[in-house]
Amino acid sequence: MYNVWRPRKRPSKKILDSKDKLFGATLANLDLAGLNLQNAKLAKANLSHTNLSNANLIETDFTEVSDFTKANLFGANFDNANLIDARLTGI
């Protein structure tokens, strides 16, 4: 059959555990789609223009003005995440 669309296999991504400290990390313009960031400490992180679609962000700490400006959050799971003072402009 010709012209049949087939999804590409994505390489597996590193799973971050709750011990990882990403306070103030610059993660702007990255493709983090589907990444497991459960319980990560991302307070004051720069996630602007980052693809976080379908990411596991359960119980992740995004406090103190984490920047999500124009980030792709489609399908991301923010259950019990801390978003106090997070910047959510243009999403």
Side-chain angles (χ1 to χ4, degrees), residues 41-55:
K41 310 301 181 213
L42 286 159
K44 293 191 178 183
N46 181 351
L47 296 156
S48 64
H49 301 273
T50 298
N51 181 6
L52 288 164
S53 60
N54 299 307

Side-chain angles (χ1 to χ4, degrees), residues 4-55:
V4 175
W5 181 82
R6 292 189 182 106
R8 292 183 190 173
K9 291 184 180 178
R10 289 185 175 221
S12 61
K13 297 181 180 181
K14 179 183 182 294
I15 296 174
L16 301 174
D17 66 30
S18 61
K19 295 175 186 150
D20 287 321
K21 304 292 185 210
L22 296 169
F23 181 90
T26 299
L27 303 171
N29 300 303
L30 296 178
D31 181 7
L32 303 179
L35 191 68
N36 183 0
L37 290 166
Q38 184 170 351
N39 294 311
K41 310 301 181 213
L42 286 159
K44 293 191 178 183
N46 181 351
L47 296 156
S48 64
H49 301 273
T50 298
N51 181 6
L52 288 164
S53 60
N54 299 307

